[in-house]
Amino acid sequence: MSHKNKALIFFTKVPTPGLTKTRLTKEHGGIFTPEEAAELYRAVMLDTAEVGFRALEQLQTLATNTKQMVNYDFVISSTPEHDHPRLKEIFDELDQRHIDLKFIADRGQNFNEHFNDAFQQLWELGYESAVAIGGDQPQMTTTSIIQAFHWLDRFQESHQKGLVHCPCQACGVSLVGLTRSTPMDFAGVFYNTDGVSALDAIINICSDKAIPVAALETVADIDNVEDLAHALSLAHSQSYTSRFQPQVVVPQRFLNWAKETGLTVCTPPNSEHDPRETIDA
């Protein structure tokens, strides 16, 4: 019996000042220098990747214990290809253990084409299902990734085709998974110029093509300062709750970076509240 190959696609790039997380820089209304924004991305990228590693380890262990012939690979999808050696050096900081780390260079004129191309390259390499996440999601969970692969297994058994997603906080998606038989085309989905959100566009395509869809919990990414504050508050929560929930992977590099830079979360006092004293009276 041949092995079934499945992959976690990790879309990322080398953290580079002026090219990474630019919406967080002062030039674009943010609070960081280009160098600080790049260092932030490096921290959250590695934290997010570690969540992916731990999820694949759990999936691989389950497959081994149940005598399933399945391989799970961690595939870094990044352009340009000549940056791959530098990314390899950065990822060597992580404890990869028994996870196979592979690289592909996604191609296209825009992110929609790059997204399509990454999946297509994996289908041509023989993978039967794949789950994609980005590098700016320190609140991604092992549970979400594991559930995504389980949903794709279920779809393959019953429909052959299927899509699973985690919505993000801004009408988009933080995770997308497909089976190889799924006739999904992401043209026009991301950075839509017609005013249709990415999540709506995905659901519209799936509805038109009768593609089964599973939705998982919302996972936020980091695009602007408000997202950053949300992510940092959640990271502080994770640091404590991990004492009681061992499956929680703490984004420690993100927390360390915030501490070193003196970054804290604060909210202005709010006097605009419901008049509870009147209701209670």
Side-chain angles (χ1 to χ4, degrees):
M1 181 184 296
S2 61
H3 276 79
K4 296 178 180 179
N5 295 316
K6 305 178 183 184
L8 179 67
I9 309 174
F10 191 78
F11 281 98
T12 193
K13 53 189 173 183
V14 171
T16 305
L19 297 177
T20 310
K21 288 298 158 194
T22 55
R23 278 182 281 181
L24 291 171
T25 62
K26 297 174 183 177
E27 182 180 357
H28 296 276
I31 59 175
F32 299 131
T33 65
E35 291 74 20
E36 289 170 334
E39 284 301 312
L40 165 65
Y41 182 69
R42 179 191 176 99
V44 299
M45 175 184 72
L46 291 175
D47 282 338
T48 308
E50 186 160 4
V51 174
F53 286 167
R54 303 294 85 84
L56 295 192
E57 287 170 358
Q58 292 180 48
L59 285 163
Q60 195 69 68
T61 298
L62 177 62
T64 300
N65 291 342
T66 55
K67 295 182 170 49
Q68 300 176 56
M69 305 290 282
V70 181
N71 288 328
Y72 290 92
D73 291 335
F74 190 100
V75 180
I76 297 175
S77 187
S78 181
T79 299
E81 188 171 359
H82 62 69
D83 279 347
H84 288 183
R86 177 62 184 134
L87 277 173
K88 179 66 168 59
E89 290 178 5
I90 294 172
F91 274 79
D92 280 344
E93 297 178 19
L94 293 174
D95 178 9
Q96 299 173 24
R97 301 182 192 176
H98 304 297
I99 298 301
D100 288 331
L101 192 64
K102 302 181 184 299
F103 286 84
I104 61 173
D106 46 277
R107 301 178 293 265
Q109 297 299 313
N110 53 53
F111 186 69
N112 299 312
E113 293 183 7
H114 280 261
F115 207 69
N116 277 333
D117 182 67
F119 278 100
Q120 185 58 40
Q121 287 190 53
L122 292 194
W123 305 154
E124 292 172 0
L125 290 170
Y127 290 92
E128 67 167 29
S129 64
V131 172
I133 62 174
D136 59 348
Q137 299 161 8
Q139 268 69 57
M140 181 59 67
T141 66
T142 57
T143 299
S144 290
I145 295 172
I146 291 169
Q147 287 180 344
F149 279 105
H150 286 168
W151 269 106
L152 294 179
D153 290 343
R154 187 177 305 181
F155 285 142
Q156 283 184 308
E157 293 170 0
S158 57
H159 302 279
Q160 295 300 311
K161 60 183 180 180
L163 179 148
V164 59
H165 75 272
C166 287
C168 74
Q169 78 282 17
C171 306
V173 288
S174 295
L175 174 153
V176 176
L178 302 172
T179 68
R180 182 167 51 191
S181 301
T182 304
M184 187 66 189
D185 184 351
F186 290 93
V189 169
F190 302 104
Y191 305 104
N192 184 285
T193 58
D194 297 324
V196 180
S197 74
L199 181 54
D200 281 326
I202 288 172
I203 296 302
N204 290 342
I205 294 170
C206 291
S207 178
D208 290 342
K209 296 185 177 182
I211 299 172
V213 174
L216 304 178
E217 66 179 14
T218 298
V219 176
D221 55 11
I222 302 176
D223 287 327
N224 54 43
V225 174
E226 185 177 358
D227 297 339
L228 177 63
H230 178 223
L232 187 53
S233 288
L234 288 175
H236 286 144
S237 171
Q238 287 172 294
S239 181
Y240 184 71
T241 59
S242 64
R243 303 181 191 179
F244 317 100
Q245 296 176 294
Q247 75 275 18
V248 172
V249 180
V250 179
Q252 195 59 55
R253 296 170 188 81
F254 178 31
L255 287 169
N256 291 344
W257 179 87
K259 183 177 181 180
E260 291 169 4
T261 58
L263 188 67
T264 59
V265 178
C266 63
T267 58
N270 181 14
S271 60
E272 299 296 326
H273 58 84
D274 291 335
R276 290 298 312 179
E277 62 274 11
T278 301
I279 297 174
D280 292 340

